[in-house]
Structure formats: structure tokens, C-alpha cells
Amino acid sequence: MAMSGMRGLSVFISDIRNCQNKEQERLRVDKELGNIRTRFKNEKALTPYEKKKYVWKMLYIYMLGYDVDFGHMEAVSLISAPKYPEKQVGYIVTSSLLNENHDFLRLAINTVRNDIIGRNETFQCLALTMVGNIGGREFAESLAPDVQKLLISSSCRPLVRKKAALCLLRLYRKNPDVVNVDGWADRMAQLLDERDLGVLTSSMSLLVALVSNNHEAYWSCLPKCIKILERLARNQDIPQEYTYYGIPSPWLQVKTMRALQYFPTIEDPNARRSLFEVLQRILMGTDVVKNVNKNNASHAVLFEALALVMHLDAEKEMMSQCVALLGKFIAVREPNIRYLGLENMTRMLMVTDVQDIIKRHQAQIITSLKDPDISIRRRALDLLYGMCDVSNAKDIVEELLQYLSTAEFAMREELSLKAAILAEKFAPDLSWYVDVILQLIDKAGDFVSDDIWFRVVQFVTNNEDLQPYAAAKAREYLDKPAIHETMVKVSAYILGEFGHLLARRPGCSPKELFSIIHEKLPTVSTSTISILLSTYAKILMHSQPPDSELQNQIWTIFKKYESSIEVEIQQRAVEYFALSRKGAALMDILAEMPKFPERQSALIKKAEDNEVDTAEQSAIKLRAQQQSQTSNALVVTEQSHVNGTPPVGQLSLVKVPSMSSNVDEADQRLSQENGTLSIVDSQPPSADLLGDLLGPLAIEGPPSSSVHLQPSSNSGVEGTVVEATAIVPAGEQANSVQPIGNIAERFHALCVKDSGVLYEDPYIQIGIKAEWRAHQGHLVLFLGNKNTSPLVSVQALILPPTHLKMELSLVPETIPPRAQVQCPLEVINLHPSRDVAVLDFSYKFGNDMVNVKLRLPAVLNKFLQPITISAEEFFPQWRSLPGPPLKLQEVVRGVRPLPLLEMANLFNSYHLTVCPGLV
């Protein structure tokens, strides 16, 4: 602000600074506001200098935090002053005091327009700055054409054009209609040829906004953006004032790479090669240095380059280089760099086939869990959670359990939930899962929700082989002098149901079990007392013939609680006492609980609902939108061909019947609810069955006369069971949106690969990743929104052939901007067939309704299992086969000979293998 000659303003500012307290300041401000109000009442007597002085005082008072509800007209009137000092004050104060909806601004539109189209560049800059700060729909409609003319004018100085670009950006954000796409696309491309980096940087900000809403119209800008990056990467013709600590215009580099991310994958090989050369130069030229400012600039460029590499689905070699670079970052001493390294490594988990590369840095990531900075510890926890799979689940979960003892209370709940989810998804066997959950309850009982111990009870109840082991572990924890109440609940429940399986072990007789459980009764709450009463009734039922001393002890407890003021406790005590006197009836009514019907995991649903601080969501927030989704690792249950035990990495509540199942088992079919498999009656579903299927997750079995030991929780179930058998022509599109790439070629490529892109158009990319085990397949559909506007009315329907049972988890109706969601799909092959399943997918973007039918690569060869067999085993079996179709032999001639290694790889892609020594 120009203060020279304005003695009155200087005195006022000095008085304010000399005030001893806030009250003195308020009195001085009120006095000055009264004086200004009096002066403005006789405006005609004011000279331009005096009006300018009082308006400056109003602005200063406003900056101190006081309301200024008068003098606005005087400020606006200064805009039309012919001299620069008064006009400058008018523009600055108007920009500060008035918002876009103020009525006085309408009075200034003509004056502002005259300044914009005038010849005085100083006045043009003042007007453009005010319009850019205030914006507003009326300004946009009235002034946008004039601002555009200034931007593309070759006679204007770069300073004016730079301000015009930023002003037009603000007007476009307020009213996108002010930019005519048809006429503006070519002009935008011409602006990218500008040599002045100031104009170019401002124009690039405008381009980012334009392509975020409609990239199709600006394809001509894409090669220009690549040329700009090449120019910056080679440091060609870059003025010194735009070089920041040796980095050529880092702001322009970041904006250019961000603009490129709004375009679909670049198909032009020359452009793609040029862009990757630039990205390679950025990756190789970035390192950690001591200068903080240089680090900030170089890392801003680097992380935007990483985002672009992920968007372009670069080759695995470049992805490996990106991960290696991030691995260096997470090992440095500077906490900000470690945080950024962990955050960006978490984002890279969204890229197919990168997880194995990230695993190489697992030790360093685990070390970050012990970092003094809690934000780094949270990022490390998110990364470990996202990178966990069957191969490293044990190590990661054990580290989380070890860290749980020293973690701050703010992290323990999240840490407990994630450890429980990982244990459920990737357990190598059920006994390990039980160990993990019991350790979790023992170390962090206050932070373990009921859903966690409900879940372990369900697993134990539904797997007979696990019951003795779980009961023994529960008995061990009860020996501890002090255990958490949640451990009392789960131990009492398990021992009540399955304690009789330990009867022959020392210290596990019914009387001894009752004694050690009853020791905990005085210290527990009323909800736990209800479970203990049920446990006592179960123990009494299992102690046959009855032990009179034990019976009298338990009856005494029942009689004590018959008069309890808690209705639940009173009812249980009365009923159990009456039942225990019925003799044989007790055996029937208190029989072992039936198996639980499978539900969606309440833990996984809670993770989806509560995950609000992940790196993935941070990336989405950079695009001004929230959500993401938590990456859900997926659970597959494979049918056991030996003893019904789920294989490594697959955890199921219910044992799947073997191939030699009896008639009752064969009359059941496999179903899935949002990621886990269950046994469901194969009869047509009744209304009651449907209600049961969609009911809450409960610690209770099917309706029966058995006594339930725990009331249900309130976790709902989401899932979609698909039984459609109609087949429609795949690859058809009932819309004008054209796909990117050949749909048929993508399908054929996925028939021999387990991951890749299934479909892509300008708005969405559908990727797929699959795992196959025997007759079962576990697929994940990755639905990625490529735009900054949400995709709505999203629907996906699986149309399976008769030989496949397929179930797709719930697909969200809306995909947020620049976000990716994952939809698990379970496949079970019932018998061989060449028919192919179809995905009927549709969504709406703006006015475009897109519908496409895509063949899914759940083809015959996916369900093959290669085996290695010796000549001694092979030839007797081969000779015993009668002939076609069981026995076929063909010699292929007239083709190029393949080396054995290439042939073996070819067969492996079809899930076949080459057995040496058979020829």
C-alpha cells in the first residue's frame, strides 16, 4: 500500500499499535469508524485524496477483524477514478470487502470492462486481478469474451496475458459455459506454443481445468504438453528467473504432468516413447539433498511423475525403478520425505503387479512403525495393510501384534481392526487365526470390538477340527491372574460349547473348568454374566453322570440370580435352573450350537466404513474429491480334496464338502456374500431364507430350540447373488462412447494372463486380477474413474453360463472422481464347457449413458491344474484309457519349432505343464 503523504492513516495505525489491550483497540476503532461515517455523509465535500485515505482506513480496520458495514459505495466509486492512486485503492478495497453476490458490484461492471478493453496496461492488470479474486457469474457472463481476447492477443505484454489466463480460469470455474469448447480448443493449443514461461504456466493452469471436464476436445494439446516437458527436462531456453534451485520451472512441470493424467492412456507409440524418456530423466535425476527448498521442488515434480507413470500403466521395469526410488525415500532421516515415500508407495499398490516389488522393502516399512512421528506410523500401517497377502501375512501380523503393546491409544483401535482383518483374510490355517485373535484380545482388549470375538467364535463353531485346539487355548488364557473381560467372554463361550472335548486332559474336568471360569464372575459386567450363566448350564449338561457337588454349586448361582434386576440375567437363571432339573430334556435343549450361516465379514465392512485417513484417499483429495476405498484383500475358499481343510491363504467359516460327499452334502451349493464362501440350501429360496440371508451378522445359529449364548450384533450384509443364465453377444455397446483399444484382443490376452485391462473408454477403465485354484476362481474387478466428475448409475450384472456359479460383491452406484473401486467376483466351475460368462456393465457420465457387455476370462484352461508325473506312472494310466475323448494324441507339423523353454512357458500360460522323460 502507498502510504506516502497520508499522515492521518499513519497516525491511526500508530495509535492502534500502541493500544495496551483489546478494549483500548476497540474504542479507538469505534471512534475512527464514527469519524469516517460522518465524513462520508457529506461525500461531495471530500477530495479524492480524503476519500482514498478513509477507504484505506476502512480496509485496515477490516483486516484487524472488525465488521465494516458501510462505505462500500465509496470504495466502488473509486474504481472509476481517472488517476492510478485512487483507482488502485478502489480495486484493492472492493476485492477485499465485497463478495461475488454483492449488489454494488453490478455498478462497477461497465467501468471494469472499460479498463479491460482499454489501452492502459496498468488499469488492465488491476481490473483482471479484481475479477479473478471475486469471480461471480455476472462477471463471467459479461467479461469472459473480453478476457479471452486479451489472453490470445499478440499485442499485449506477457504480464497482462498471464493475469488474463488466471482470470479466465476463475470465471470458468464459476461458469463453464463461458468457454466455447469448439472454438477454444485450437486457441488453447496455440497458447501452449508460448515461449514466455509465465504465460505458459498460467495457461497450463487453465488447461488442467478444461481437460478435467472434457479431455476429448483437447487432444491437440497432448503433444504440446509432451514437448513442454521435453523442453523443461532438457533445460532448454529456460530463463534464470524461472529456475528454482537448479530445477527448471517446477510449477509448470507439475501442472503439465497433472494435465496429462486427465487423458486416457496414450496410444501413439512416438508420443508415449517421448513421454517415458522425460519421466525416466525425472526419475533418474531426483535424489535427496540437504537443501530443503530444493528437496521440496524436486519431490513435487517427482511425485507428480510417479502419478503419471501409474496412470500410463508403464512397463514393469519403470515401475520397479519407481518403487526403488521410494524405497530410498523411506530410509532417509528427514521425516517429511519418509512420509511422502510411504504415502506414494501406498498409492502404487493400486497398480497391478507392483505388490511383489514393494515387498522387498518390507523390513524398512516395518521399521517405520517405530518412528517417533505418528503420521509416519499411520502411513506405514496403511502400507503394510495394503501390501499384505498370503506370502507375508504371518510376518506382518506378528509385527503388528508386537507393536500393539507399545502403540499409542489413538492407534490401537485401528491397529487391532487391521490385524484381525489380515488374520482372517490370509490365515495359513485356522489354528494360527485363533492364536492371533486371542493374542489380540489379550494385548488390547479395550480396543477389540465385539465383532472380532464374534468372528472367532463363528470360525470355531463351524470347524470341528478346530474346536479342541481353541478350547485348550482358551483354558490357557484363563490361568492368567488378570485378563480382559473380552477374553472372559470368548473363553467362557468356547469352553461352554467345547470344553467337554478336553475332559481327559489334566485340569479340564467339568468341575475344574467351572471353578476357573467362576473366579472371573465378580469382576465382569452384566452382559458377561449372561454368557457365564449359559456356560455354567452347558458345563452342567456335559457333566454326565452329574456331579452332585458341581450341580449344587451351579444351582446356587442360578437361584442367586433369579432375583436379579437385569431382565436378561434373571430370565436365563430361571430357565437354566428349570431346565437343569429336567434331566434328559437338558441334553436336547442345551445341545451343541448349530453351525452359523455365513455372513459378510463385519470386520471388513467396518474397515470400509471407518477408513478415513488412507494415502489412497489423500491422492483423491488432491483431485478435490474423497473416497476411496480401502483396498480389500480377498478371501477364496477352495474345495478340499483331502480332508476339507481350507488351504494356505484361504479361510472359511464352513468346511466345503469333498468330492466324495454324501447325498445331503451334494444337495448343497456354494454361495458367497461379499467376499467369503458359505453353504446354502440348494432349494429355491423362501421368504424366510431371503430374510436370513440379508439379516444381521449374529452369534447364533439357524432357528432352533437351542439356547443362544449371545445376542446378535447389528452388522448388515451387502452382496449380490447372481444366478442369471442368459448369454448376450459380448463386446456390444449400446451407446456412442467408443472404447479405447480392441475389446476382443484384451479378452484374448487375459485368457492366458491373470491380470490386465479388460475394457477402457474415455471415462472408465475396467481392470481385472485373478487367482485360480482347482475348480474355483477369485477375481477382482478394478473400476477406475478417469475424470474429475463422478460416474453415476453404475450397474454390473454377471451373466454366467450353466456350468459356472458366479457371485459378484456389491458394486457402488457412484464412483467418485479419480477414484478406483474393487469388486470381488467368485467363480466355481461345475463341469467342463467352452461357454463364456458375460459382464453386463453400465454407467452414466454427464448426459452419456454407457452400456457394454464384456466377456470374462473365466475360460476352461483357467480351471486346469498342471501336475508333474513320471514315466512309470504315466504310461500305465495312458494305456488304460479306452480312447477319445479321454485319450487324444496329435503330432503338430508345419510350424516353427520352439525351444523347450518357450514351449514350457506357452503351456504354463494355459495352466498346462511339460513333463520331461515321457517321449
Side-chain angles (χ1 to χ4, degrees):
M1 300 180 186
M3 296 292 182
S4 59
M6 302 177 67
R7 180 170 177 77
L9 178 59
S10 301
V11 171
F12 172 62
I13 294 175
S14 177
D15 291 346
I16 292 295
R17 290 176 176 174
N18 292 331
C19 291
Q20 299 298 318
N21 51 51
K22 197 68 176 176
E23 182 63 23
Q24 287 185 9
E25 179 184 289
R26 187 184 63 79
L27 292 174
R28 181 67 181 89
V29 167
D30 287 345
K31 177 182 177 181
E32 192 63 36
L33 286 176
N35 180 48
I36 296 173
R37 191 186 298 269
T38 302
R39 294 285 186 171
F40 281 168
K41 286 181 179 179
N42 190 13
E43 184 179 358
K44 293 182 180 180
L46 289 176
T47 64
Y49 166 77
E50 290 176 324
K51 183 186 291 187
K52 179 181 66 172
K53 179 180 68 174
Y54 292 129
V55 170
W56 271 134
K57 287 185 177 181
M58 286 169 46
L59 178 60
Y60 184 71
I61 292 170
Y62 177 77
M63 292 170 63
L64 291 174
Y66 297 94
D67 290 334
V68 178
D69 54 2
F70 68 95
H72 298 165
M73 187 62 192
E74 285 73 14
V76 172
S77 66
L78 284 175
I79 294 176
S80 58
K83 295 182 180 180
Y84 173 77
E86 289 80 14
K87 187 180 286 288
Q88 179 202 32
V89 174
Y91 275 119
I92 292 176
V93 177
T94 300
S95 299
S96 303
L97 296 185
L98 305 186
N99 59 44
E100 62 183 79
N101 299 317
H102 204 288
D103 293 335
F104 284 166
L105 285 180
R106 297 174 184 171
L107 304 177
I109 287 180
N110 286 334
T111 303
V112 173
R113 184 174 184 273
N114 289 334
D115 286 339
I116 288 177
I117 64 178
R119 294 293 182 180
N120 190 316
E121 292 179 346
T122 305
F123 291 178
Q124 286 177 332
C125 291
L126 287 174
L128 290 171
T129 302
M130 189 196 77
V131 174
N133 283 329
I134 295 180
R137 182 167 290 271
E138 289 192 30
F139 272 168
E141 294 173 352
S142 304
L143 304 177
D146 299 312
V147 175
Q148 292 181 33
K149 290 178 182 178
L150 276 184
L151 176 58
I152 62 178
S153 173
S154 59
S155 61
C156 288
R157 291 176 57 191
L159 176 63
V160 177
R161 297 177 62 200
K162 177 171 65 174
K163 290 182 178 292
L166 297 177
C167 180
L168 185 59
L169 172 61
R170 176 61 184 268
L171 298 180
Y172 177 76
R173 287 172 175 168
K174 285 296 178 182
N175 183 10
D177 295 335
V178 300
V179 175
N180 185 357
V181 175
D182 296 333
W184 189 251
D186 294 336
R187 296 175 181 175
M188 194 70 240
Q190 293 175 6
L191 285 173
L192 297 183
D193 291 328
E194 177 66 40
R195 303 306 297 175
D196 185 271
L197 290 188
V199 177
L200 193 55
T201 303
S202 300
S203 300
M204 192 60 69
S205 298
L206 177 60
L207 178 64
V208 171
L210 294 173
V211 297
S212 66
N213 286 340
N214 181 13
H215 70 271
E216 286 291 340
Y218 297 95
W219 275 105
S220 58
C221 297
L222 190 144
K224 302 289 182 70
C225 291
I226 297 177
K227 287 183 180 179
I228 292 172
L229 284 177
E230 288 179 323
R231 173 188 171 190
L232 295 172
R234 294 169 182 166
N235 202 359
Q236 294 178 343
D237 191 25
I238 307 299
Q240 185 62 35
E241 60 267 25
Y242 285 98
T243 301
Y244 185 78
Y245 286 91
I247 303 170
S249 189
W251 310 276
L252 180 56
Q253 291 190 56
V254 168
K255 291 177 186 294
T256 306
M257 286 187 284
R258 186 164 301 177
L260 288 172
Q261 292 175 53
Y262 288 104
F263 292 97
T265 302
I266 302 172
E267 300 294 341
D268 181 16
N270 293 327
R272 189 177 177 88
R273 183 175 60 256
S274 299
L275 182 55
F276 278 133
E277 287 176 359
V278 173
L279 295 174
Q280 185 74 28
R281 187 186 294 265
I282 293 173
L283 294 177
M284 294 180 64
T286 305
D287 206 350
V288 179
V289 296
K290 293 184 178 180
N291 191 300
V292 176
N293 293 326
K294 184 172 182 178
N295 272 339
N296 291 340
S298 62
H299 293 159
V301 176
L302 172 66
F303 293 134
E304 203 66 43
L306 291 176
L308 184 56
V309 168
M310 288 187 281
H311 172 74
L312 296 174
D313 194 18
E315 299 296 330
K316 191 172 183 179
E317 183 179 351
M318 181 171 280
M319 290 292 185
S320 301
Q321 186 179 353
C322 294
V323 176
L325 190 58
L326 293 175
K328 291 182 181 179
F329 284 4
I330 65 176
V332 301
R333 297 180 60 183
E334 173 61 38
N336 290 337
I337 298 176
R338 288 204 306 277
Y339 178 91
L340 292 171
L342 291 168
E343 183 181 43
N344 281 273
M345 197 173 280
T346 305
R347 293 179 191 171
M348 293 202 74
L349 288 173
M350 300 169 62
V351 181
T352 308
D353 297 332
V354 174
Q355 189 167 351
D356 290 337
I357 306 173
I358 294 178
K359 288 179 188 174
R360 300 170 189 170
H361 305 278
Q362 180 174 314
Q364 185 61 46
I365 297 169
I366 290 175
T367 302
S368 298
L369 275 179
K370 304 174 180 65
D371 195 277
D373 191 330
I374 188 172
S375 61
I376 293 178
R377 293 196 296 273
R378 286 188 181 276
R379 290 285 79 82
L381 177 59
D382 291 337
L383 181 52
L384 287 172
Y385 178 74
M387 66 185 284
C388 186
D389 61 14
V390 177
S391 64
N392 59 2
K394 271 190 142 180
D395 294 336
I396 289 178
V397 171
E398 287 173 4
E399 286 291 342
L400 295 183
L401 289 175
Q402 183 178 351
Y403 174 56
L404 192 59
S405 303
T406 57
E408 7 340 59
F409 290 104
M411 284 186 64
R412 287 195 180 186
E413 184 174 1
E414 179 186 4
L415 189 60
S416 302
L417 177 63
K418 289 185 174 179
I421 292 173
L422 294 179
E424 179 177 338
K425 291 176 180 176
F426 305 115
D429 56 71
L430 293 173
S431 58
W432 179 83
Y433 170 73
V434 171
D435 287 341
V436 168
I437 299 302
L438 293 182
Q439 287 183 58
L440 199 61
I441 295 172
D442 185 46
K443 293 184 176 182
D446 289 330
F447 303 94
V448 175
S449 65
D450 286 343
D451 291 326
I452 294 177
W453 81 267
F454 287 176
R455 195 69 173 162
V456 74
V457 164
Q458 292 179 29
F459 279 113
V460 173
T461 303
N462 287 28
N463 292 272
E464 294 180 3
D465 296 342
L466 185 63
Q467 292 165 4
Y469 180 83
K473 295 299 291 186
R475 175 66 180 81
E476 290 178 12
Y477 277 100
L478 287 178
D479 283 333
K480 291 189 173 185
I483 60 174
H484 194 270
E485 185 171 342
T486 304
M487 182 65 77
V488 176
K489 291 180 182 179
V490 67
S491 299
Y493 184 100
I494 292 175
L495 290 175
E497 290 291 327
F498 314 113
H500 62 282
L501 301 176
L502 309 177
R504 296 185 179 181
R505 298 189 185 187
C508 295
S509 66
K511 189 173 182 179
E512 290 170 313
L513 290 180
F514 165 76
S515 176
I516 195 169
I517 294 173
H518 189 55
E519 290 176 1
K520 315 298 180 184
L521 183 65
T523 62
V524 298
S525 63
T526 54
S527 61
T528 306
I529 292 175
S530 300
I531 298 176
L532 295 185
L533 293 179
S534 300
T535 300
Y536 298 159
K538 292 275 187 173
I539 291 175
L540 185 60
M541 182 266 295
H542 288 305
S543 63
Q544 299 295 333
D547 183 323
S548 58
E549 183 181 353
L550 175 63
Q551 187 180 64
N552 290 333
Q553 287 179 310
I554 293 177
W555 280 359
T556 301
I557 296 171
F558 288 159
K559 289 179 181 179
K560 173 184 175 182
Y561 285 104
E562 282 181 347
S563 57
S564 172
I565 60 173
E566 296 290 337
V567 176
E568 176 69 19
I569 296 177
Q570 182 188 100
Q571 182 176 353
R572 293 194 185 208
V574 170
E575 292 180 359
Y576 291 157
F577 180 70
L579 289 172
S580 62
R581 299 172 65 88
K582 296 294 183 181
L586 183 66
M587 298 289 292
D588 296 330
I589 298 174
L590 293 180
E592 185 176 309
M593 288 285 289
K595 291 182 177 180
F596 295 95
E598 180 65 23
R599 301 283 192 251
Q600 175 199 10
S601 172
L603 302 181
I604 296 176
K605 187 175 189 304
K606 180 179 286 189
E608 294 171 353
D609 295 339
N610 292 347
E611 196 140 321
V612 295
D613 186 28
T614 65
E616 181 179 341
Q617 288 179 336
S618 299
I620 296 170
K621 287 176 182 176
L622 292 176
R623 303 295 184 265
Q625 195 64 19
Q626 184 261 352
Q627 182 72 25
S628 106
Q629 50 104 340
T630 312
S631 298
N632 282 341
L634 304 143
V635 184
V636 182
T637 304
E638 183 182 42
Q639 178 170 337
S640 174
H641 298 281
V642 182
N643 60 5
T645 303
V648 174
Q650 322 301 327
L651 199 56
S652 170
L653 280 184
V654 182
K655 282 189 181 179
V656 183
S658 66
M659 297 298 289
S660 59
S661 300
N662 57 31
V663 176
D664 291 336
E665 291 174 324
D667 196 36
Q668 294 177 324
R669 64 181 172 85
L670 285 171
S671 176
Q672 179 207 24
E673 289 157 15
N674 211 16
T676 50
L677 292 174
S678 63
I679 300 295
V680 182
D681 192 350
S682 62
Q683 298 299 321
S686 64
D688 291 338
L689 178 58
L690 183 62
D692 180 64
L693 182 67
L694 300 177
L697 174 63
I699 291 293
E700 54 184 308
S704 68
S705 58
S706 298
V707 178
H708 303 309
L709 301 189
Q710 173 66 29
S712 66
S713 69
N714 296 321
S715 300
V717 173
E718 296 176 353
T720 305
V721 179
V722 179
E723 295 288 348
T725 58
I727 297 297
V728 297
E732 290 185 7
Q733 278 191 300
N735 42 264
S736 59
V737 176
Q738 294 300 315
I740 298 173
N742 190 302
I743 296 179
E745 290 180 0
R746 293 185 187 276
F747 167 74
H748 292 144
L750 286 170
C751 287
V752 293
K753 295 196 307 181
D754 289 336
S755 63
V757 177
L758 180 66
Y759 170 80
E760 184 174 8
D761 64 28
Y763 304 136
I764 195 170
Q765 183 183 76
I766 303 177
I768 196 167
K769 190 170 184 179
E771 295 179 1
W772 307 93
R773 293 180 184 272
H775 65 290
Q776 297 182 5
H778 179 67
L779 293 80
V780 186
L781 297 178
F782 295 85
L783 310 179
N785 183 356
K786 299 161 58 175
N787 299 273
T788 55
S789 299
L791 302 180
V792 298
S793 302
V794 178
Q795 293 185 352
L797 177 66
I798 301 296
L799 307 175
T802 54
H803 73 286
L804 293 178
K805 289 290 184 183
M806 307 183 74
E807 187 173 335
L808 181 67
S809 67
L810 188 67
V811 177
E813 293 186 0
T814 301
I815 303 179
R818 307 290 291 174
Q820 184 186 73
V821 299
Q822 300 181 16
C823 303
L825 171 64
E826 301 297 332
V827 182
I828 299 175
N829 186 26
L830 303 180
H831 57 81
S833 175
R834 294 183 180 180
D835 294 335
V836 180
V838 172
L839 169 66
D840 187 351
F841 185 81
S842 62
Y843 67 90
K844 187 176 182 181
F845 181 82
N847 296 325
D848 291 332
M849 187 68 195
V850 183
N851 177 256
V852 63
K853 297 176 178 61
L854 305 165
R855 289 179 293 174
L856 292 173
V859 291
L860 180 61
N861 62 285
K862 299 291 187 179
F863 301 101
L864 301 178
Q865 273 192 311
I867 60 172
T868 303
I869 189 171
S870 65
E872 291 76 11
E873 297 172 310
F874 171 75
F875 285 109
Q877 295 186 35
W878 176 260
R879 297 187 188 102
S880 65
L881 298 175
L886 300 178
K887 180 178 180 181
L888 291 173
Q889 180 173 337
E890 183 176 351
V891 178
V892 181
R893 302 184 186 280
V895 298
R896 178 178 64 86
L898 285 177
L900 183 60
L901 181 60
E902 290 186 28
M903 185 178 295
N905 292 335
L906 177 63
F907 281 123
N908 286 337
S909 67
Y910 286 97
H911 290 212
L912 302 172
T913 191
V914 176
C915 294
L918 299 185
V919 180

